[in-house]
Amino acid sequence: MALLLHRIGRAAFRRAWLVVVAWVVALTALVGGGIALGGQLQESYAIPGTESQDAIDQLAAVFPQTAGASAKAVVEAPDGGSVEDPDSRAAIADMERELERVDGVASVLGPFDEYAGDQVSDDARTAYIQVQFDGPVTDVAQESIDAVVATGDAGRDAGLRVAFGGEVFQETTFGLTITEVFGVLFAGVVLLITFGSLLAAGMPLLTAIVGVGATFGGIAVVSAFATVSSTAPMLAVMIGLAVGIDYALFILSRHRTQLARGMDPEESAAEAVATAGGAVVFAGLTVIIALLGLLVVGIPFLSVMGVAAAFAVLVAVIGATTLLPALLGLAKGRLAPKPGSRAHRRAVAADEGGRPTLGRRWVDTVLKAPVVFLVLVVGLLGTAAIPAASLDLNLPGGEGEAGSSQREAYEMIEAGFGPGANGPLIVTVDITQTTDIFEDLDAIGERLARVDGVDYVGEGLPNETVDTAIIQVIPESGPTDPETKQVVQDIRALEPEIAEEFGTPIAVTGYTAVSIDISQRLTDALIPFALIVVGLSIVLLLIVFRSLFVPVKAALGFLLSAFGAIGVTVAVFQWGWFADLMHVEPGPILSFLPILLMAVLFGLAMDYEVFLVSGMREEFVKTREPRSSIVHGFQHAARVVTAAALIMFFVFFAFVPEGTGVIKGIAFALAIGVAFDAFLVRMTLVPAAMALAGRHAWWLPRWLARVLPDVDIEGEGLRAHLAESEWAAARNADVLAEGLLVGDPAAPVGPITLDVPRGGALVVRGGPAERRLVSATIAGRVLPAGGRLAVLGLPLPTDANAVMRRVAVADTATDAASAPTAGDLVAARVDATRPWYRLGSTRDAVEDALDAAAVARSVAETSGGRLAAALTDSFPWRTTAVDPDTPVGELDRLDRILVTAAAALAEQPRALVLDLDAASASEAGTWRALAHLVPDDVALIATVPDDADPVPAREAFDARGIRELDLAIRAQEALR
């Protein structure tokens, strides 16, 4: 990972304008595509598998006129008036006629119609018209909604107050207010203070804004083909801004520190992307995995939100690791802190001596009494989590935003009919097994009316095919009140009794019942989801830190901060503490808030954990001193973690005062969660717990250490690779070895020291097993057991994959057995290695390879050497190529060697490994043919038996440079 990121960072730095242009093109395409497609944000709270959703699906099939979206046109007479006055009734009748003409409206039920329910208030001042659309809310066009609203003019002309409510009027617009801009400005101020440079402070903001733009464009494109709620882009923008700034901050901070210490800008950018970028990729993946974990909850709208937010994080990670190093490439050395500046002094400050930083003073304070701080943090967060015990989850109740027509209609209904009228329940009745339909429906209605908390029960209404009926039930309590949940449960509890007595199974549905079912499913999923997230964090941190204590401590700390944040959110949004100050209307907590909080906060918490503890681990590996390691890691990461947490807090909290009702609670919980986790858990509890654990904090069972992969997030392996690359680059050699050991580490072959010049030859002499082992190691197929090895300038084992792609291995025995004819032998190599984008005929490649083998054969049959080769190249008609259809088994020994080598060379390698038998290796013609066949820029590694004559190889490759390795002599030297 570190090596890949190092290459990405270097490439982006060198090709800065190309990367910037690519980002501009991608941003333009996504945003332009989203605008051109004209996608719309739509709310859809469908939840497959629940009773309420199954009932809705059934109604859509057998009672379509009741399954579509609904709305209410609410009218209120002025003081002293009545909706039953002739003028008011006439105006209401006019509204009904206009509503019936609206495209998409399936039915209209006025307050004075024959089958009207309780649609006129007791004081006769308020009434409502029930409007039913012919499709779900996601299919209702904006033109139809506008036409419905326009019908209100008929009532207003008669002096009535008119407002419209219902699910189709829920706010689905996406917009940012000035407070969100203030959040970005606050983030800019923090960056300016952190870096002391406007240029440096602007880069994280730029990358984050570009990433958010790309994210929004992507969501807009998707919204043209799928249902996307208005919360999804707001959540994605909020998270994308926060993590985009933070991820760029981490990498840029590392880069400027390295520049202050004298590192070359290009090397610094590449290493910053490889090290700090590795932590960014790790943190981003944890957030993405946690957000995609929302898919398992099985709630479509929540899955869309999780995918949108995960996409925002992915774009932020890509931006931090590609766009940011490109910007660093444009700035080059201008980002280096000026000598003598605060930023420069902080970057070059040693652990001891000089003026201590605030981070150093804080960690010293914590380490003086770690038990006290540990108990204090646990006590504070435990106290903050107490309100979470009374958590009441629900979806928005349909009241709408303050000042909207939906809110006005909601309040008019509540004042005229009671709070339950805003959340009516629909009871579906299967009447296929009854013959006394209306008598049974009346009896069932009476049974429902006796349920505690029920205010009104309408008459049963059968469908046209008389197989399903619906009964409207209005509870006494509002849609989001806990008492309404109890009413739904009590009605469902009657189902077995009613089904047995009347033979009519019932089910409860409607928007309120769907909301209750969603909230219940999310409540049930909260603990399992938390356990999954905690388990994931333990596994990931085990891999990163190779310690048992660190993951367990990190997971417990995450739970403390998460439940503390939920507790504070309950106190403010549910209990109403400081509600006026926050512009918050107390009520139930958004049902998907806790799971979203855990998913997002988990990744951010692991982000801070990695940046703080990775420095501690790096120092502990060097010194084995636990206390000094804590101090070192903390003081070098405290400033950047503090800045990152403050940026997160400001960006999230900016969505609270003027944000939409749904996003307010999410933003507040995330802001509080970040503050708790960064400042109380990571920067206080972590050093205290690490100090108490001492050396045991880094203990890991040996068997587990062998199983876990080494991700090298601190970049130690990268630095070793860079050192090996410098060693290899300093020598002009295709194969370079120093003290190389190959094979079994307990009984290796070696040590081997050699250097093969560019385009030269290496002849490895020894027994079959030993020489094949050496050649396989040089070819990258077997990793070295020790020492140093570089092939084609690439150090092994870190560049083993690259070496394998550049070194072809030819074996006359196995290759001949794998293909029936000479043409098949070459074609198999060409087809297996040629990139998909390369044009050209396989037949042409086969003919070229066999022609080259034939030319080399003619060179072998002459003693003129170079003169013969020149003549053969000038007069190719003097040779006859091997026929592609010739069976490999019918070729003589030399032709088989040359065809096999030519087939391997068709891969266009930089080096060729070839095994020869003693007879072939002792013939001068074999080596003359190979010297002609193998291009001058391709190295030849040939393995031969002990008894092969060395002279022919020396003579043929003397001009290109030849090295000989006798494994028997090496073995004797090793024994001595």
PDB file of all heavy atoms in Angstrom, residues 466-483:
ATOM      1  N   VAL A 466     -64.412  -6.626  -3.919  1.00  0.00           N
ATOM      2  CA  VAL A 466     -64.923  -7.090  -2.631  1.00  0.00           C
ATOM      3  C   VAL A 466     -64.040  -8.212  -2.061  1.00  0.00           C
ATOM      4  O   VAL A 466     -64.525  -9.267  -1.668  1.00  0.00           O
ATOM      5  CB  VAL A 466     -66.393  -7.576  -2.762  1.00  0.00           C
ATOM      6  CG1 VAL A 466     -67.031  -7.675  -1.362  1.00  0.00           C
ATOM      7  CG2 VAL A 466     -67.205  -6.647  -3.625  1.00  0.00           C
ATOM      8  N   ASP A 467     -62.732  -7.979  -2.047  1.00  0.00           N
ATOM      9  CA  ASP A 467     -61.837  -8.920  -1.381  1.00  0.00           C
ATOM     10  C   ASP A 467     -60.999  -8.247  -0.293  1.00  0.00           C
ATOM     11  O   ASP A 467     -60.397  -8.914   0.537  1.00  0.00           O
ATOM     12  CB  ASP A 467     -60.923  -9.629  -2.381  1.00  0.00           C
ATOM     13  CG  ASP A 467     -60.150  -8.652  -3.247  1.00  0.00           C
ATOM     14  OD1 ASP A 467     -59.947  -7.496  -2.833  1.00  0.00           O
ATOM     15  OD2 ASP A 467     -59.721  -9.054  -4.353  1.00  0.00           O
ATOM     16  N   THR A 468     -60.960  -6.912  -0.312  1.00  0.00           N
ATOM     17  CA  THR A 468     -60.190  -6.170   0.682  1.00  0.00           C
ATOM     18  C   THR A 468     -60.965  -4.918   1.059  1.00  0.00           C
ATOM     19  O   THR A 468     -61.581  -4.267   0.207  1.00  0.00           O
ATOM     20  CB  THR A 468     -58.809  -5.768   0.135  1.00  0.00           C
ATOM     21  OG1 THR A 468     -58.109  -6.937  -0.287  1.00  0.00           O
ATOM     22  CG2 THR A 468     -57.987  -5.057   1.210  1.00  0.00           C
ATOM     23  N   ALA A 469     -60.922  -4.591   2.337  1.00  0.00           N
ATOM     24  CA  ALA A 469     -61.552  -3.361   2.819  1.00  0.00           C
ATOM     25  C   ALA A 469     -60.539  -2.596   3.658  1.00  0.00           C
ATOM     26  O   ALA A 469     -59.562  -3.157   4.163  1.00  0.00           O
ATOM     27  CB  ALA A 469     -62.792  -3.679   3.652  1.00  0.00           C
ATOM     28  N   ILE A 470     -60.784  -1.299   3.796  1.00  0.00           N
ATOM     29  CA  ILE A 470     -59.931  -0.477   4.642  1.00  0.00           C
ATOM     30  C   ILE A 470     -60.779   0.242   5.673  1.00  0.00           C
ATOM     31  O   ILE A 470     -61.940   0.589   5.424  1.00  0.00           O
ATOM     32  CB  ILE A 470     -59.119   0.547   3.828  1.00  0.00           C
ATOM     33  CG1 ILE A 470     -60.052   1.480   3.030  1.00  0.00           C
ATOM     34  CG2 ILE A 470     -58.127  -0.147   2.913  1.00  0.00           C
ATOM     35  CD1 ILE A 470     -59.311   2.640   2.378  1.00  0.00           C
ATOM     36  N   ILE A 471     -60.185   0.433   6.848  1.00  0.00           N
ATOM     37  CA  ILE A 471     -60.841   1.172   7.927  1.00  0.00           C
ATOM     38  C   ILE A 471     -59.843   2.216   8.419  1.00  0.00           C
ATOM     39  O   ILE A 471     -58.706   1.877   8.773  1.00  0.00           O
ATOM     40  CB  ILE A 471     -61.245   0.254   9.087  1.00  0.00           C
ATOM     41  CG1 ILE A 471     -62.197  -0.837   8.607  1.00  0.00           C
ATOM     42  CG2 ILE A 471     -61.876   1.049  10.218  1.00  0.00           C
ATOM     43  CD1 ILE A 471     -62.547  -1.859   9.680  1.00  0.00           C
ATOM     44  N   GLN A 472     -60.264   3.464   8.435  1.00  0.00           N
ATOM     45  CA  GLN A 472     -59.390   4.529   8.937  1.00  0.00           C
ATOM     46  C   GLN A 472     -59.527   4.638  10.448  1.00  0.00           C
ATOM     47  O   GLN A 472     -60.636   4.685  10.976  1.00  0.00           O
ATOM     48  CB  GLN A 472     -59.729   5.868   8.289  1.00  0.00           C
ATOM     49  CG  GLN A 472     -58.758   6.977   8.663  1.00  0.00           C
ATOM     50  CD  GLN A 472     -59.136   8.318   8.074  1.00  0.00           C
ATOM     51  OE1 GLN A 472     -60.230   8.827   8.362  1.00  0.00           O
ATOM     52  NE2 GLN A 472     -58.268   8.886   7.248  1.00  0.00           N
ATOM     53  N   VAL A 473     -58.387   4.650  11.126  1.00  0.00           N
ATOM     54  CA  VAL A 473     -58.359   4.789  12.583  1.00  0.00           C
ATOM     55  C   VAL A 473     -57.517   6.005  12.920  1.00  0.00           C
ATOM     56  O   VAL A 473     -56.361   6.116  12.503  1.00  0.00           O
ATOM     57  CB  VAL A 473     -57.758   3.534  13.247  1.00  0.00           C
ATOM     58  CG1 VAL A 473     -57.668   3.717  14.759  1.00  0.00           C
ATOM     59  CG2 VAL A 473     -58.577   2.295  12.904  1.00  0.00           C
ATOM     60  N   ILE A 474     -58.096   6.924  13.686  1.00  0.00           N
ATOM     61  CA  ILE A 474     -57.377   8.127  14.104  1.00  0.00           C
ATOM     62  C   ILE A 474     -57.080   8.019  15.590  1.00  0.00           C
ATOM     63  O   ILE A 474     -58.000   7.934  16.412  1.00  0.00           O
ATOM     64  CB  ILE A 474     -58.196   9.398  13.815  1.00  0.00           C
ATOM     65  CG1 ILE A 474     -58.399   9.548  12.304  1.00  0.00           C
ATOM     66  CG2 ILE A 474     -57.497  10.630  14.388  1.00  0.00           C
ATOM     67  CD1 ILE A 474     -59.214  10.752  11.898  1.00  0.00           C
ATOM     68  N   PRO A 475     -55.807   7.990  15.959  1.00  0.00           N
ATOM     69  CA  PRO A 475     -55.464   7.917  17.388  1.00  0.00           C
ATOM     70  C   PRO A 475     -55.619   9.274  18.067  1.00  0.00           C
ATOM     71  O   PRO A 475     -55.759  10.312  17.406  1.00  0.00           O
ATOM     72  CB  PRO A 475     -53.992   7.474  17.365  1.00  0.00           C
ATOM     73  CG  PRO A 475     -53.475   7.923  16.046  1.00  0.00           C
ATOM     74  CD  PRO A 475     -54.617   7.926  15.086  1.00  0.00           C
ATOM     75  N   GLU A 476     -55.611   9.259  19.374  1.00  0.00           N
ATOM     76  CA  GLU A 476     -55.705  10.508  20.129  1.00  0.00           C
ATOM     77  C   GLU A 476     -54.387  11.273  20.139  1.00  0.00           C
ATOM     78  O   GLU A 476     -54.378  12.489  20.296  1.00  0.00           O
ATOM     79  CB  GLU A 476     -56.114  10.205  21.585  1.00  0.00           C
ATOM     80  CG  GLU A 476     -57.508   9.597  21.716  1.00  0.00           C
ATOM     81  CD  GLU A 476     -57.817   9.194  23.142  1.00  0.00           C
ATOM     82  OE1 GLU A 476     -56.870   9.237  23.980  1.00  0.00           O
ATOM     83  OE2 GLU A 476     -58.968   8.830  23.429  1.00  0.00           O
ATOM     84  N   SER A 477     -53.294  10.574  19.971  1.00  0.00           N
ATOM     85  CA  SER A 477     -51.968  11.179  20.055  1.00  0.00           C
ATOM     86  C   SER A 477     -51.408  11.447  18.664  1.00  0.00           C
ATOM     87  O   SER A 477     -51.901  10.924  17.662  1.00  0.00           O
ATOM     88  CB  SER A 477     -51.017  10.262  20.834  1.00  0.00           C
ATOM     89  OG  SER A 477     -51.068   8.948  20.312  1.00  0.00           O
ATOM     90  N   GLY A 478     -50.347  12.281  18.624  1.00  0.00           N
ATOM     91  CA  GLY A 478     -49.742  12.671  17.363  1.00  0.00           C
ATOM     92  C   GLY A 478     -48.929  11.547  16.724  1.00  0.00           C
ATOM     93  O   GLY A 478     -48.643  10.521  17.346  1.00  0.00           O
ATOM     94  N   PRO A 479     -48.523  11.751  15.476  1.00  0.00           N
ATOM     95  CA  PRO A 479     -47.823  10.686  14.740  1.00  0.00           C
ATOM     96  C   PRO A 479     -46.523  10.238  15.401  1.00  0.00           C
ATOM     97  O   PRO A 479     -46.143   9.071  15.268  1.00  0.00           O
ATOM     98  CB  PRO A 479     -47.549  11.327  13.372  1.00  0.00           C
ATOM     99  CG  PRO A 479     -48.508  12.453  13.268  1.00  0.00           C
ATOM    100  CD  PRO A 479     -48.753  12.941  14.639  1.00  0.00           C
ATOM    101  N   THR A 480     -45.822  11.138  16.067  1.00  0.00           N
ATOM    102  CA  THR A 480     -44.521  10.784  16.643  1.00  0.00           C
ATOM    103  C   THR A 480     -44.584  10.529  18.141  1.00  0.00           C
ATOM    104  O   THR A 480     -43.540  10.303  18.761  1.00  0.00           O
ATOM    105  CB  THR A 480     -43.499  11.904  16.362  1.00  0.00           C
ATOM    106  OG1 THR A 480     -43.950  13.126  16.973  1.00  0.00           O
ATOM    107  CG2 THR A 480     -43.322  12.132  14.870  1.00  0.00           C
ATOM    108  N   ASP A 481     -45.762  10.547  18.715  1.00  0.00           N
ATOM    109  CA  ASP A 481     -45.875  10.323  20.157  1.00  0.00           C
ATOM    110  C   ASP A 481     -45.717   8.839  20.493  1.00  0.00           C
ATOM    111  O   ASP A 481     -46.165   7.972  19.732  1.00  0.00           O
ATOM    112  CB  ASP A 481     -47.239  10.803  20.674  1.00  0.00           C
ATOM    113  CG  ASP A 481     -47.384  12.312  20.596  1.00  0.00           C
ATOM    114  OD1 ASP A 481     -46.338  12.988  20.511  1.00  0.00           O
ATOM    115  OD2 ASP A 481     -48.526  12.803  20.600  1.00  0.00           O
ATOM    116  N   PRO A 482     -45.093   8.527  21.615  1.00  0.00           N
ATOM    117  CA  PRO A 482     -44.965   7.120  22.015  1.00  0.00           C
ATOM    118  C   PRO A 482     -46.310   6.420  22.175  1.00  0.00           C
ATOM    119  O   PRO A 482     -46.413   5.216  21.953  1.00  0.00           O
ATOM    120  CB  PRO A 482     -44.214   7.197  23.348  1.00  0.00           C
ATOM    121  CG  PRO A 482     -43.502   8.522  23.330  1.00  0.00           C
ATOM    122  CD  PRO A 482     -44.385   9.436  22.541  1.00  0.00           C
ATOM    123  N   GLU A 483     -47.348   7.193  22.563  1.00  0.00           N
ATOM    124  CA  GLU A 483     -48.670   6.580  22.729  1.00  0.00           C
ATOM    125  C   GLU A 483     -49.212   6.021  21.413  1.00  0.00           C
ATOM    126  O   GLU A 483     -49.936   5.020  21.401  1.00  0.00           O
ATOM    127  CB  GLU A 483     -49.662   7.610  23.279  1.00  0.00           C
ATOM    128  CG  GLU A 483     -49.378   8.085  24.696  1.00  0.00           C
ATOM    129  CD  GLU A 483     -48.317   9.151  24.763  1.00  0.00           C
ATOM    130  OE1 GLU A 483     -47.839   9.578  23.683  1.00  0.00           O
ATOM    131  OE2 GLU A 483     -47.939   9.553  25.882  1.00  0.00           O
TER     132      GLU A 483
END
